[in-house]
Amino acid sequence: EFAPVAMRACPLVLLSLASVPLGSAFYGTSQQVVPYVAPDSSKSPELGPPASRRRSRSAARPYVPTLLAFGYSLSVAMATAAMPIRCKDMALDELPNGASEALPEGLSLVGGFFAVDMLFTVLFTPIWSSLSDVFGRKPFMLLSSGGLGLGWVILFGAKRLPYLLMGRALDGMTSCMQPVATSAVADRSPPKKLHTHLAMLTGPVLGAAFSIGFLAGGILTENYGADLAILVAAVVAGANFVMTLICFHEVTPQSRSRYRGPIASVAMLLRTKKSVVASMAYLLFFTALYGIRSTFAAYANYKFGLDRTQAGGIQALCGVTLTIAQISFPALLVPLFGKNGATALGLLLFGIGSAICGLTDDRTWFIIGNLIVSIGSYVVPLLLSSIVEEAPKGATGAALGALEQVNTVNRIISFNMVPQLFARSLKLADEGHPGLVATPGFFFLASAACAACPALLLPHLKTEERGRDSAECL
């Protein structure tokens, strides 16, 4: 009964979503927050900041966009855990003759849904991110949370393939939370604290949100069915929309930017030597990370006999380790080694951990290797801060949107190629071929190479001053 209503309401929903950025932009201009400027103590030592400026300084802190990005990722992870079962149930309904098993068909649908989502993400993310430089961050954070929630509602209520694809397309069309929230954090961060503030964003989003969300979604799916998990994910996205509307306030940028198209935005990543190397390192790092994530459960089962629950437990432990490492390590290591040195060290740690995972036959060392990989992931906020620093003034959203666009393409390629590489290695190993390519863990070694290559490039950039005052960096 829901599907025809959803189909008739869809044009109105899409029209409403299209009006969100412009309408919220006008609404948000009256609530823009001017960054706090400290009074000149040499002229008036007794002068303290007025109450309005104290409120502005509080609103300009980076914690609100961090919390909103966390809620968005939590919703995504919860529904992602339920997607295979939801698609399997739908495939059972579609198959003739009352077929009782549809796992291959269900997995095929999962792949198709994610392909639709990724396609529209690639097309629309750079547009929304660049427009956020012009109209502000809030309209597009609302657009992203609203589109995600509506997409899950359609997935929950509809039972036929066209409506499910429509929900995934809607999610992809409105997906821009990560680059826009990162830009909002950059707007609120002085240069010396940029990498530590970004670490407070990327750590919980990449680690805790996906670990907690995937675990919660799996528990709900296992005990109450996939529909309830998807409904809860929609509620989380809706709550995120309301929190954005109430709690997020714009910070007046130093300079307004004109709109930059997707091609011009990508060109910004190539404008300086530093931005080129940082972007390459960022993309190669995520190539390695996506490669490990795409085949982790299958490899753990093949090599060590771990079921999905046990593999999920290791991934949850790695998610917690990743969160702690990203929050703490940049602040600890940058004062000692400089940003480039700390980044190179993290990439080398990631490569060493990946190599251990690919070569070991011992379960304990496999877990240790994955923990080292998680620790090495602290490089993400350091690389992001280097890219933000090289972006033109007023164009942070465009640069980060272009990076997210290219990284989404990178994710599509990695999640398709690495499982094929794993299957190829298994076939060669079964046929008795010698060499590393015939090693089942060869994709771990490929990930190690992807992480090590940019580590060799970083020292060629301008050397940063070492041993800087720790309080200055913190």
Side-chain angles (χ1 to χ4, degrees), residues 74-156:
L74 187 69
S75 174
V76 171
M78 292 180 68
T80 299
M83 282 288 286
I85 303 301
R86 180 69 177 81
C87 292
K88 178 183 176 181
D89 292 342
M90 199 198 76
L92 285 172
D93 293 338
E94 295 285 338
L95 287 179
N97 304 323
S100 60
E101 180 58 43
L103 183 58
E105 290 79 1
L107 292 176
S108 177
L109 286 177
V110 171
F113 290 155
F114 277 109
V116 170
D117 188 354
M118 292 298 104
L119 172 63
F120 282 98
T121 298
V122 168
L123 293 176
F124 283 89
T125 293
I127 297 174
W128 303 135
S129 301
S130 184
L131 285 173
S132 75
D133 291 328
V134 182
F135 296 106
R137 315 300 181 195
K138 184 173 183 176
F140 301 95
M141 295 176 76
L142 288 170
L143 175 69
S144 192
S145 293
L148 181 69
L150 285 174
W152 294 146
V153 168
I154 293 174
L155 183 63
F156 167 77

Side-chain angles (χ1 to χ4, degrees), residues 59-418:
R61 289 173 180 171
Y63 310 122
V64 172
T66 296
L67 180 62
L68 296 174
F70 178 87
Y72 182 90
S73 298
L74 187 69
S75 174
V76 171
M78 292 180 68
T80 299
M83 282 288 286
I85 303 301
R86 180 69 177 81
C87 292
K88 178 183 176 181
D89 292 342
M90 199 198 76
L92 285 172
D93 293 338
E94 295 285 338
L95 287 179
N97 304 323
S100 60
E101 180 58 43
L103 183 58
E105 290 79 1
L107 292 176
S108 177
L109 286 177
V110 171
F113 290 155
F114 277 109
V116 170
D117 188 354
M118 292 298 104
L119 172 63
F120 282 98
T121 298
V122 168
L123 293 176
F124 283 89
T125 293
I127 297 174
W128 303 135
S129 301
S130 184
L131 285 173
S132 75
D133 291 328
V134 182
F135 296 106
R137 315 300 181 195
K138 184 173 183 176
F140 301 95
M141 295 176 76
L142 288 170
L143 175 69
S144 192
S145 293
L148 181 69
L150 285 174
W152 294 146
V153 168
I154 293 174
L155 183 63
F156 167 77
K159 302 297 182 183
R160 301 186 65 181
L161 184 60
Y163 306 114
L164 298 175
L165 291 175
M166 181 179 64
R168 295 293 77 227
L170 180 62
D171 179 22
M173 288 171 60
T174 58
S175 179
C176 62
M177 176 62 77
Q178 185 68 23
V180 174
T182 305
S183 302
V185 171
D187 295 340
R188 291 159 166 74
S189 303
K192 293 177 182 177
K193 293 186 178 181
L194 178 60
H195 63 273
T196 55
H197 286 176
L198 289 177
M200 295 296 295
L201 169 72
T202 60
V205 168
L206 291 178
F210 276 97
S211 297
I212 296 172
F214 204 84
L215 181 63
I219 292 174
L220 288 173
T221 301
E222 184 71 22
N223 292 282
Y224 303 104
D227 280 346
L228 180 62
I230 293 170
L231 180 61
V232 173
V235 171
V236 172
N240 214 49
F241 180 92
V242 174
M243 287 181 62
T244 304
L245 191 64
I246 297 174
C247 301
F248 184 85
H249 300 285
E250 295 284 4
V251 171
T252 303
Q254 298 299 319
S255 60
R256 282 295 186 188
S257 174
R258 61 179 177 82
Y259 170 74
R260 290 172 169 84
I263 297 177
S265 299
V266 171
M268 285 193 296
L269 302 177
L270 309 175
R271 63 192 299 264
T272 66
K273 183 179 179 181
K274 182 179 178 180
S275 63
V276 169
V277 173
S279 299
M280 287 178 56
Y282 183 89
L283 294 172
L284 284 170
F285 170 82
F286 273 97
T287 299
L289 185 63
Y290 292 150
I292 292 174
R293 286 185 172 181
S294 65
T295 326
F296 179 86
Y299 181 79
N301 179 262
Y302 170 83
K303 188 76 174 181
F304 304 103
L306 302 177
D307 58 28
R308 286 193 171 271
T309 302
Q310 293 171 317
I314 296 174
Q315 287 182 306
L317 177 61
C318 290
V320 173
T321 305
L322 184 149
T323 301
I324 296 172
Q326 289 202 12
I327 291 175
S328 58
F329 275 46
L332 295 174
L333 297 180
V334 170
L336 298 176
F337 303 107
K339 187 187 292 184
N340 292 336
T343 303
L345 177 61
L347 291 170
L348 289 175
L349 282 174
F350 187 98
I352 291 171
S354 299
I356 291 174
C357 292
L359 295 175
T360 187
D361 292 323
D362 183 78
R363 181 186 300 186
T364 302
W365 277 104
F366 178 71
I367 297 174
I368 292 173
N370 277 284
L371 292 177
I372 295 175
V373 165
S374 300
I375 293 172
S377 299
Y378 76 79
V379 301
V380 173
L382 298 179
L383 293 172
L384 274 176
S385 66
S386 296
I387 295 169
V388 169
E389 290 166 355
E390 294 301 303
K393 287 186 178 180
T396 304
L400 292 175
L403 184 69
E404 184 71 13
Q405 178 189 36
V406 177
N407 197 34
T408 301
V409 176
N410 179 31
R411 180 184 179 187
I412 295 171
I413 295 173
S414 298
F415 270 80
N416 281 277
M417 290 188 63
V418 174

